[in-house]
Amino acid sequence: MTRISDTAASPRRRDILRAGGVLAAGACLPAWAQSGTPGIAPLPTVSGEDIRLRIAHRMLTIDGRASHAVGVNGTVPAPLIRLREGQNVRLHVENALDEQSSIHWHGLLVPFHMDGVPGVSFPGIAPRSTFTYEFPVRQSGTYWYHSHSGLQEQLGLYGPIVIDPAGTDPIVSAREHVIVLSDHSPLHPHVIFRKLKQQGGYFNFQKQTLAGLLAGRDQREAERLAWGGMRMDPADVADVTASTYAYLVNGHGPRDNWTGLFVPGERVRLRIVNASAMTTFNLRIPGLAMTVVQADGLPVRAVTVDEIQVAVAETYDVIVEPRDDRAYALVGESVDRSGMALATLAPRAGMRAAAPPLRPRPLATMKDMGMGGMAATATATTGGHDMPGHKMAGQDGGGQDAAGQDGGAEDAAGQDMGTMSHSMRDFANAPELKRTPTIQTIAPMPVDRTGEPGQGLLDVGHRVLTYRDLVATARNPDTRAPDRSLRIHLTGNMERYMWAFDGEKLNEVTAPFAFLAGERVRVTLVNDTMMGHPIHLHGHFFELVTGHGDFAPRKHTVQVQPGGTVTFDVTTDAVGDWAFHCHMLYHMHAGMMQVVTVRPRDAVPA
Ligand SMILES: [Cu+2]
């Protein structure tokens, strides 16, 4: 809870600020996001066949502090757009800014010229003008929308979309709450980006210290030297942290105490959207299990867990059944554990549960460096001596104490790290890559990590969702085997804050990823960096290859864990030009984006 106690105003002053904040916030938030919203019943949303949205500057008050934002129809987050499967919708979007704007409908299957990506699918919405999007609504579920222009999304231009099924909803609940998680900074996003460019670790205030070394915390000396020699920092888990961010639930900071009401014993559906620019959230409700019923808008077989790592741009619908007449804390802890989004589920407004303390920050492990395959091969190639070193960081990984705690591993660690420093940029491990400055490291032995719960969650002592837990409820629409396969590297250079696919930033790319309509392609994403990247393909769902055959979970965004791989199959059935990018906003802005073209088969010149 450092974030909250950091603002050490006197109690009286804080109360005044808080009262003012609640008033100001109440005035500018959509009803569904207001504190104490009773659920969907009185939900004033925008809906129907003709919807008007107006993008404009405004002020946003979080925990009593005002800062500049860009909102829609006067609110941050933007209004909930509620649609019904099978309807048509026209969305008239007025851009009242003095710069270009845009709205992309994240996860919606729309004709490509309605997808809203400036320079890819349309020219953008010029300043002081209106663009009308029009498309049939072909799906149901929980989605969201956001600006795809510059860094506007970080300023507040994001909102949820809920699409009700054409028939009865197979997911039964007594009420629901939309939970939009986001991050907001008083710094202008261009300032944040400039600071990251100057120093990749600018916002990281959780580096290892000499005091920590002397106290026996974190990594041991040999390891620290080895990582330092590679100019890599194992505490570098998030680029932008609570040192500048407030983490929000429906536009409210932790002290605002956004509250979703319930009647004890009810089945409550939470539609969780991670609309943040840069923050991976570890979401939990202490004392309450969450049954996941939808991922990225599509139904999955019910799976009950205690925590979910929600990557940027993912959505999850969960059912909770609070039975006690008490408040529960809804906790969205940032992956680096520098801060948390906090809200309340309660039977009455004005209640609040004790928030758990922030857990110790995770340190990156050898697996996060793409050495996940080492432990298995070490036995064969080097015998037993190196094994403790590999096991130490590679398999116990995740906990902040994992590296360096394994007794007797000292010299093994020194040796491993020594050889590792030579092999972390070995192009023999990825001969298909061009040698560019945007490749600082290459994962030597990356492994599929979709069966793992996500960075820092390996040993939290309760059930954590993994991608392999997700199974589609309906047979996949296309169950053909792939015709061809593609291996794409996620690459970066932390020191210069450059990010790219295959070492090429968007502005250096000479040709798009080209597909023909109806191709079935197997794509493997290889994360050569020490950061998780939520990769989003526009216009399509893809099937994660996680061992569930024709019932593979279908997603629009997939988190590729540090040093890990993810494989998916995709049917390129949507003709047009589609953005394909990391959804970390500053990664995309720094070049981690490309274009996918899907051409009709008869239109391709010989
Ligand atoms: Cu990224």
Side-chain angles (χ1 to χ4, degrees):
M1 296 306 299
T2 44
R3 248 215 85 65
I4 296 168
S5 54
D6 273 355
T7 26
S10 75
R12 214 174 131 217
R13 181 169 147 71
R14 201 188 304 152
D15 287 345
I16 294 165
L17 282 174
R18 189 173 174 183
V22 168
L23 280 177
C28 69
L29 282 154
W32 61 263
Q34 277 176 23
S35 202
T37 172
I40 54 164
L43 196 69
T45 59
V46 289
S47 61
E49 300 238 317
D50 262 285
I51 291 172
R52 296 196 173 269
L53 302 175
R54 183 171 191 272
I55 299 168
H57 291 285
R58 60 160 302 100
M59 294 304 285
L60 173 67
T61 305
I62 298 161
D63 287 345
R65 284 160 64 171
S67 62
H68 169 244
V70 169
V72 172
N73 295 2
T75 75
V76 175
L80 166 61
I81 300 178
R82 188 140 205 151
L83 305 171
R84 183 167 285 276
E85 183 183 12
Q87 75 162 98
N88 287 303
V89 64
R90 276 175 305 278
L91 298 128
H92 311 280
V93 182
E94 179 193 349
N95 174 16
L97 305 176
D98 292 321
E99 60 183 55
Q100 182 220 72
S101 191
S102 59
I103 288 182
H104 161 62
W105 318 99
H106 186 102
L108 264 53
L109 301 171
V110 299
F112 84 91
H113 56 288
M114 293 293 146
D115 192 47
V117 182
V120 176
S121 42
F122 85 139
I125 310 173
R128 311 276 167 193
S129 73
T130 298
F131 180 85
T132 298
Y133 296 84
E134 183 169 13
F135 50 84
V137 179
R138 298 163 50 193
Q139 60 203 104
S140 63
T142 303
Y143 302 93
W144 64 296
Y145 61 111
H146 60 84
S147 170
H148 228 294
S149 297
L151 299 171
Q152 276 168 14
E153 183 200 284
Q154 174 80 88
L155 286 166
L157 215 172
Y158 50 79
I161 300 174
V162 171
I163 308 175
D164 294 304
T168 33
D169 198 326
I171 299 165
V172 178
S173 65
R175 72 170 77 208
E176 66 177 29
H177 295 295
V178 177
I179 305 287
V180 177
L181 301 166
S182 65
D183 46 27
H184 185 81
S185 171
L187 287 182
H188 192 278
H190 287 129
V191 175
I192 294 178
F193 188 71
R194 198 181 335 123
K195 290 188 183 301
L196 288 169
K197 268 289 193 194
Q198 285 160 354
Q199 189 193 340
Y202 181 87
F203 295 99
N204 181 4
F205 288 80
Q206 303 197 97
K207 294 182 200 297
Q208 299 184 101
T209 60
L210 179 61
L213 178 67
L214 296 175
R217 285 197 301 269
D218 303 334
Q219 288 181 324
R220 296 188 178 204
E221 189 175 6
E223 261 185 294
R224 290 186 188 210
L225 287 172
W227 284 65
M230 294 177 288
R231 300 202 197 91
M232 293 166 78
D233 175 7
D236 182 20
V237 170
D239 294 343
V240 192
T241 70
S243 67
T244 189
Y245 275 155
Y247 299 115
L248 310 184
V249 176
N250 295 339
H252 294 271
R255 282 199 283 140
D256 292 332
N257 192 30
W258 182 87
T259 302
L261 296 183
F262 66 84
V263 173
E266 271 183 338
R267 279 170 63 88
V268 181
R269 178 179 188 165
L270 305 178
R271 296 178 179 269
I272 299 154
V273 178
N274 186 349
S276 65
M278 289 297 283
T279 306
T280 306
F281 285 105
N282 292 327
L283 187 95
R284 68 196 204 273
I285 308 171
L288 211 48
M290 299 180 282
T291 300
V292 180
V293 291
Q294 231 179 56
D296 285 4
L298 300 182
V300 292
R301 285 185 203 163
V303 51
T304 301
V305 295
D306 300 302
E307 186 160 8
I308 307 172
Q309 183 165 97
V310 188
V312 173
E314 285 187 318
T315 73
Y316 286 98
D317 280 28
V318 306
I319 299 285
V320 294
E321 293 179 76
R323 298 185 190 284
D324 299 336
D325 186 53
R326 67 158 174 111
Y328 295 85
L330 185 138
V331 179
E333 195 178 40
S334 68
V335 67
D336 67 321
R337 295 173 185 163
S338 59
M340 60 174 69
L342 201 54
T344 299
L345 299 179
R348 291 172 298 283
M351 297 175 79
R352 136 166 255 172
L358 287 166
R359 296 173 293 190
R361 59 125 160 74
L363 283 184
T365 64
M366 284 175 64
K367 229 173 176 179
D368 297 327
M369 304 182 69
M371 308 186 104
M374 292 282 186
T377 53
T379 333
T381 55
T382 59
H385 182 66
D386 282 9
M387 274 303 285
H390 291 296
K391 181 180 175 292
M392 170 184 73
Q395 293 185 332
D396 298 345
Q400 81 287 359
D401 287 328
Q405 289 269 315
D406 201 335
E410 296 96 318
D411 32 10
Q415 285 180 14
D416 285 349
M417 293 296 164
T419 51
M420 185 172 72
S421 64
H422 295 294
S423 61
M424 279 309 291
R425 195 171 181 269
D426 184 351
F427 283 85
N429 290 319
E432 67 271 34
L433 281 179
K434 272 196 219 164
R435 289 166 188 255
T436 74
T438 315
I439 305 177
Q440 187 180 14
T441 51
I442 294 171
M445 300 198 79
V447 290
D448 184 325
R449 303 187 72 181
T450 55
E452 297 176 45
Q455 199 168 13
L457 295 178
L458 208 55
D459 37 20
V460 288
H462 56 211
R463 296 163 295 181
V464 185
L465 187 76
T466 76
Y467 280 149
R468 283 196 200 161
D469 295 329
L470 300 174
V471 185
T473 55
R475 186 178 294 275
N476 297 152
D478 189 351
T479 56
R480 288 176 297 158
D483 311 315
R484 63 177 170 120
S485 62
L486 205 61
R487 198 171 167 88
I488 298 170
H489 289 260
L490 315 178
T491 57
N493 184 328
M494 261 319 275
E495 273 194 280
R496 297 168 66 179
Y497 209 75
M498 301 192 297
W499 300 95
F501 288 143
D502 289 335
E504 290 186 297
K505 294 184 290 172
L506 179 62
N507 60 354
E508 301 161 346
V509 172
T510 48
F513 291 113
F515 298 96
L516 294 177
E519 271 195 274
R520 185 82 177 144
V521 187
R522 173 157 292 184
V523 178
T524 296
L525 301 170
V526 182
N527 190 345
D528 283 323
T529 80
M530 275 176 43
M531 292 239 142
H533 298 285
I535 302 299
H536 173 47
L537 173 61
H538 288 223
H540 298 77
F541 281 90
F542 44 75
E543 290 82 47
L544 289 187
V545 179
T546 47
H548 298 298
D550 295 353
F551 291 84
R554 311 188 68 218
K555 296 189 95 266
H556 51 57
T557 304
V558 65
Q559 176 88 336
V560 189
Q561 295 293 342
T565 67
V566 163
T567 297
F568 62 74
D569 291 342
V570 62
T571 301
T572 51
D573 56 2
V575 168
D577 294 348
W578 301 102
F580 177 52
H581 61 94
C582 176
H583 224 287
M584 294 275 188
L585 186 65
Y586 301 107
H587 291 187
M588 177 171 70
H589 198 66
M592 203 171 210
M593 167 160 166
Q594 290 203 20
V595 175
V596 161
T597 64
V598 182
R599 295 281 171 262
R601 285 182 184 261
D602 47 13
V604 176

